[in-house]
Amino acid sequence: MDRLVHHELRAALAALLAFVICAVAVAVVRGIPTAPFGRAALYLGGLVALLAVFTLLEATRIKGVSEVRYFDAAVPVDPERALPPEDFWHDQPVSRRMFWFILVPTLPVALLWEPWVIVFPLGSALSWAGKAALVAHWERRHGRLLWRGHIASRPWELSYSPLSPPPPARTATDAPPG
């Protein structure tokens, strides 16, 4: 099983890493792209504003846009069918498939055609980081952890578990049972 917030962070880190590699490669091969700073800042500011608005729309319950509706529809984790949880930082902090999926088309286009194409991975990284923040906020607010992959054949379906395990049972004298 994979926590949804970790899944989104892996994708964001992969896109950010692809952006950095593309930016360095374009700067080495083609030089630093020349554009008026104001125009570049305007485009980046517009991208960040657009992604912020879209993330806020995902936080609503508007049909067709809302991600929160999927979070609310999550089913409880079945302990017998649940896969063991992953360790985010030690197992795989960056999604390798997503990294190559972003890098392979972006780098040749940026090197051979238009260097400003390297902004697209940055937009993806910001979008996934915003969704990770949305998931973390929902988890904290509802006291549940969202998981992906509780059924291996349907990894997109969400399930939840309590934020913390239930406390152990105690007796009337506050001694542990047994």
Side-chain angles (χ1 to χ4, degrees):
M1 287 188 351
D2 188 22
R3 278 196 54 201
L4 183 60
V5 69
H6 292 169
H7 174 74
E8 298 300 327
L9 286 175
R10 275 189 196 101
L13 289 173
L16 192 59
L17 184 60
F19 166 74
V20 169
I21 289 173
C22 288
V24 169
V26 166
V28 168
V29 173
R30 295 187 67 166
I32 297 175
T34 57
F37 179 73
R39 191 174 86 188
L42 181 66
Y43 288 148
L44 289 176
L47 176 68
V48 169
L50 183 67
L51 290 172
V53 167
F54 190 69
T55 301
L56 289 174
L57 284 174
E58 286 178 335
T60 66
R61 298 192 186 282
I62 298 172
K63 190 173 185 177
V65 182
S66 173
E67 288 288 329
V68 175
R69 294 168 66 120
Y70 295 117
F71 303 161
D72 292 337
V75 296
V77 172
D78 183 12
E80 283 108 30
R81 290 186 6 178
L83 300 170
E86 93 305 334
D87 184 11
F88 175 64
W89 290 112
H90 292 103
D91 288 347
Q92 185 182 0
V94 174
S95 174
R96 291 183 190 111
R97 283 186 284 180
M98 186 60 67
F99 169 73
W100 290 111
F101 183 75
I102 293 171
L103 183 70
V104 168
T106 305
L107 188 58
V109 171
L111 291 175
L112 300 174
W113 182 49
E114 180 61 47
W116 289 104
V117 171
I118 63 172
V119 174
F120 290 121
L122 182 62
S124 297
L126 290 173
S127 175
W128 285 317
K131 188 169 177 185
L134 177 64
V135 171
H137 176 72
W138 187 92
E139 286 179 342
R140 182 172 294 149
R141 188 169 186 200
H142 290 86
R144 298 176 177 171
L145 298 176
L146 287 172
W147 298 88
R148 295 176 66 248
H150 66 282
I151 300 174
S153 63
R154 297 186 306 233
W156 59 87
E157 288 187 0
L158 298 178
S159 58
Y160 68 86
S161 64
L163 193 58
S164 60
R170 307 294 269 187
T171 62
T173 61
D174 203 31

